[in-house]
């Protein structure tokens, strides 16, 4: 958990040199009796659901956290309220004296906490009723409900995290595959911040040299324009590589939506069941069995895939089937990739050709012939009516023959290769800023190629350094911060 594993050493300073919303984060004295309303935030920090989860956590952060904890929590015996010590006891309603829950309390005094503020966590019983009752008591005692991502935002404002680490936290929580979680951990460990920070420092070095020549060229040794240009070109190349890796990293985090389309009764539902390794779709010999979209999720080589089994697209008078076909067309238009399944025993038909024409331009398409088990090897190789080599793969959804090659072939068709070689990956916000920085360097290089004075080089170079600073949070507006952290879950 970030509250314990992320606790900063007590001697660590605040690198941003500014306070969070709760005042001086270095204050480790015992709290007073006065609660500052609105200063201390609280939220349920774990997922809650009826009958699910044995433990739920209510988290507080701010100057009054310990005061609120002492009012609501009764620890029997001679237990000592010390930082980073777990207390056992009961959460008690101070108005009625009612015991609301048997719980543990964890106290983390500033600055040795995730937010660098005083933090208290009530570890309650799971479910819904008890944890919500504890939160109600906390809010009634003077805390306010935290906004989405406000704990992480306070950690950033107090210098506990840079912006890349804060976003990596969100990506770790949302990870849909082990590979996506590894990328998030690389960001949380500071890999992305170090890489972007190093590139920015290189640009700042060149900017300092150029700006010095603008003001004091007569007093300084000559500056080699070729050396400056070579360094800017090298940084631009590294940024371009990061942007390319970001697109693949985005797929590792968010996954692909793959529409399985084909004529009725070509085996789409059988293939869905085969790939997902469970019976999700009804399989019969009757055409038009699938009346609605069916989804199945799996992870392939670290990439989360959402498979959409669509209703067979054909002319029909059945109103329910027609509705399913319309939804299939919508799924086809919105898919990241399309798997077009056709019947090898029937050959490539005019209906298959018409379906292929519905695939939007630029969407990766994989043509797969099914029911290979019904034909001999020579017939499978020469598919009736299909141009030689046009079929990407022949399989049998019934026996599984050839199906193991389908996934890797699909990923290659989507341009996803060497995914294991990606060490860090920018998210969409970071990718756009890196691309903007690279474009700024291109303009600066154009000024160099045109033989313009030094100050023309610096205009776009300065913009490029600002874009990189916005990635790590060193140069970012409050509006951008609010937008970034609003995407976090409440309690994080």
């Amino acid at each position: 958990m970030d509250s314990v594993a992320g606790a900063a050493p007590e001697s660590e300073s605040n690198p941003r040199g500014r306070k969070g919303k709760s005042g001086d984060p270095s204050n480790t004295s015992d709290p007073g009796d006065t609660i500052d309303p609105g200063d201390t935030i609280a939220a349920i920090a774990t997922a809650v659901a009826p009958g699910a989860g044995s433990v739920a956590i209510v988290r507080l952060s701010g100057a009054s956290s310990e005061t609120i904890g002492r009012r609501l929590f009764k620890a029997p015996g001679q237990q000592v309220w010390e930082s980073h010590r777990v207390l056992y006891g009961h959460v008690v309603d101070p108005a009625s004296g009612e015991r609301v829950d048997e719980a543990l309390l964890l106290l983390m005094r500033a600055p040795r906490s995730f937010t660098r503020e005083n933090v208290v966590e009530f570890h309650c019983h799971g479910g819904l009723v008890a944890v919500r009752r504890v939160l109600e008591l906390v809010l009634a005692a003077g805390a306010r409900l935290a906004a989405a991502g406000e704990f992480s935002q306070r950690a950033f404002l107090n210098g506990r995290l840079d912006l890349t680490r804060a976003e990596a936290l969100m990506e770790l929580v949302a990870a849909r595959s082990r590979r996506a979680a590894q990328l998030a951990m690389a960001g949380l460990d500071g890999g992305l911040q170090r890489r972007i920070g190093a590139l920015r420092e290189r640009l700042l070095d060149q900017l300092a040299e150029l700006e010095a020549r603008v003001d004091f060229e007569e007093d300084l040794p000559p500056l080699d324009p070729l050396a400056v240009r070579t360094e800017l070109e090298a940084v631009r190349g590294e940024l371009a590589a990061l942007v390319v890796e970001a697109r693949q990293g985005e797929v590792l985090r968010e996954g692909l939506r793959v529409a399985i389309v084909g004529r009725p009764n070509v085996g789409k539902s059988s293939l869905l069941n085969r790939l997902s390794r469970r019976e999700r779709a009804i399989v019969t010999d009757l055409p038009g069995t699938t009346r609605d979209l069916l989804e199945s999720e799996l992870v392939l080589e670290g990439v989360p895939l959402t498979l959409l089994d669509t209703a067979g697209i054909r002319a029909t008078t059945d109103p329910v089937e027609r509705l399913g076909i319309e939804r299939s067309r919508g799924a086809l238009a919105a898919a990241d990739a399309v798997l077009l399944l056709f019947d090898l025993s029937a050959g490539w038909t005019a209906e298959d050709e018409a379906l292929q024409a519905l695939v939007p331009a630029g969407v990766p398409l994989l043509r797969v012939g099914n029911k290979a088990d019904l034909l001999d090897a020579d017939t499978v190789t020469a598919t009736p009516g299909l141009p030689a080599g046009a079929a990407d793969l022949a399989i049998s959804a019934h026996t599984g023959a050839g199906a193991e090659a389908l996934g890797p072939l699909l990923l290659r068709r989507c341009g996803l290769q060497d995914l294991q070689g990606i060490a860090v990956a920018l998210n969409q916000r970071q990718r756009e800023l890196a691309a903007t920085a690279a474009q700024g360097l291109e303009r600066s290089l154009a000024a160099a190629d045109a033989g313009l004075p030094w100050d023309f080089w610096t205009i776009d170079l300065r913009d490029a350094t600002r874009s990189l600073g916005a990635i790590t949070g060193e140069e970012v507006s409050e509006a951008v911060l609010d937008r970034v952290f609003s995407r976090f879950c409440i309690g994080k």
Side-chain angles (χ1 to χ4, degrees):
M1 293 176 55
D2 51 18
S3 56
V4 179
E10 194 155 357
S11 61
E12 189 175 6
S13 63
N14 182 347
R16 299 189 190 281
R18 54 181 169 178
K19 298 177 182 179
K21 298 179 182 179
S22 64
D24 184 1
S26 64
N27 175 27
T28 57
S29 61
D30 289 337
D33 295 328
T34 302
I35 293 177
D36 180 9
D39 181 52
T40 297
I41 58 174
I44 299 174
T46 49
V48 293
S54 61
V55 177
I57 297 174
V58 175
R59 175 180 294 160
L60 296 83
S61 180
S64 302
S65 297
E66 185 173 348
T67 300
I68 294 175
R70 288 177 180 269
R71 286 187 179 182
L72 302 181
F73 193 79
K74 304 304 178 186
Q78 301 300 314
Q79 299 180 65
V80 180
W81 285 69
E82 293 181 351
S83 185
H84 294 77
R85 178 185 291 271
V86 176
L87 303 176
Y88 161 78
H90 292 86
V91 179
V92 177
D93 184 344
S96 65
E98 173 193 0
R99 286 185 173 182
V100 173
D101 194 14
E102 181 183 30
L104 300 176
L105 183 141
L106 175 59
L107 169 64
M108 291 165 280
R109 292 188 180 126
R112 297 178 58 213
S113 72
F114 174 64
T115 60
R116 278 201 171 134
E117 300 174 336
N118 288 343
V119 170
V120 165
E121 290 184 349
F122 294 97
H123 291 234
C124 317
H125 285 95
L128 285 176
V129 177
V131 65
R132 286 184 175 176
R133 182 75 189 282
V134 172
L135 178 62
E136 289 171 0
L137 291 177
V138 166
L139 298 179
R144 65 170 174 83
L145 188 63
E150 191 169 357
F151 289 95
S152 296
Q153 187 168 6
R154 288 191 175 199
F156 168 78
L157 292 174
N158 290 330
R160 178 63 183 82
L161 300 172
D162 70 272
L163 197 53
T164 64
R165 285 183 173 93
E167 290 178 292
L169 267 179
M170 178 179 63
E171 290 159 9
L172 182 60
V173 172
R176 297 170 57 193
S177 70
R178 182 179 298 181
R179 189 73 184 92
Q182 290 172 342
L183 284 178
M185 278 303 303
L188 194 56
D189 289 340
L192 181 57
Q193 189 276 337
R194 287 190 294 272
R195 190 164 176 180
I196 295 296
L199 293 176
R200 184 170 182 267
E201 286 299 317
R202 289 165 64 182
L203 294 184
L204 286 172
D205 287 343
Q206 299 306 313
L207 183 61
E209 292 290 344
L210 289 169
E211 290 186 332
R213 274 19 180 231
V214 171
D215 296 325
F216 310 105
E217 188 162 16
E218 297 82 2
D219 303 323
L220 295 172
L223 183 61
D224 183 358
L226 180 59
V228 176
R229 195 190 189 291
T230 300
E231 180 69 349
L232 297 186
E233 183 67 47
V235 174
R236 185 185 67 167
E238 292 192 41
L239 288 174
L242 276 174
V243 170
V244 172
E245 290 182 357
R247 293 191 179 97
Q248 297 196 333
E250 204 168 295
V251 172
L252 286 171
R253 281 191 293 264
E254 300 178 8
L256 295 172
R257 290 177 66 83
V258 181
I260 305 175
V261 300
R263 294 183 292 110
N265 209 34
V266 295
K268 298 185 296 297
S269 296
S270 296
L271 179 60
L272 177 76
N273 290 338
R274 169 69 58 180
L275 294 176
S276 62
R277 294 181 175 85
R278 59 184 185 272
E279 297 294 327
R280 288 295 310 274
I282 300 173
V283 179
T284 73
D285 293 329
L286 300 175
T289 302
T290 300
R291 301 298 185 94
D292 203 349
L293 290 177
L294 295 177
E295 294 189 7
S296 184
E297 294 195 357
L298 65 147
V299 176
L300 180 66
E301 296 186 14
V303 178
L305 297 181
T306 300
L307 301 178
L308 307 174
D309 177 19
T310 64
I313 299 177
R314 62 171 182 169
T316 178
T317 58
D318 185 331
V320 177
E321 188 177 357
R322 286 173 62 184
L323 181 59
I325 291 172
E326 286 304 311
R327 291 182 178 179
S328 296
R329 289 178 180 271
L332 185 62
D336 299 308
V338 174
L339 195 159
L340 176 54
L341 199 65
F342 67 94
D343 186 345
L344 284 169
S345 63
W348 183 261
T349 68
E351 291 175 275
D352 297 318
E353 191 71 34
L355 280 175
Q356 180 174 282
L358 294 176
V359 179
V363 174
L365 170 66
L366 195 65
R367 286 177 290 203
V368 179
N370 188 29
K371 304 186 181 181
D373 55 303
L374 301 181
L375 306 174
D376 57 43
D378 293 336
T379 306
V380 170
T381 303
T383 304
L386 188 66
D392 297 297
L393 187 66
I395 68 166
S396 169
H398 176 65
T399 66
E404 70 282 352
L406 196 157
L409 182 59
L410 176 65
L411 294 183
R412 289 197 300 273
R413 182 60 52 87
C414 293
L416 301 174
Q417 299 180 20
D418 192 27
L419 294 175
Q420 300 305 314
I422 300 176
V424 294
L426 309 177
N427 60 31
Q428 183 178 355
R429 182 193 74 88
Q430 297 161 351
R431 173 168 58 84
E432 291 173 355
L433 288 167
T436 299
Q439 293 164 5
L441 292 179
E442 289 176 6
R443 292 191 297 270
S444 186
L445 289 167
D449 292 339
L452 296 176
W454 300 125
D455 51 346
F456 284 87
W457 296 37
T458 64
I459 296 171
D460 295 300
L461 179 55
R462 192 178 297 109
D463 288 341
T465 62
R466 289 196 189 101
S467 294
L468 296 186
I471 292 178
T472 60
E474 291 171 275
E475 295 192 40
V476 65
S477 68
E478 188 171 336
V480 171
L481 289 180
D482 289 341
R483 186 179 66 184
V484 169
F485 287 104
S486 67
R487 293 166 25 227
F488 285 46
C489 59
I490 294 177
K492 175 56 70 180

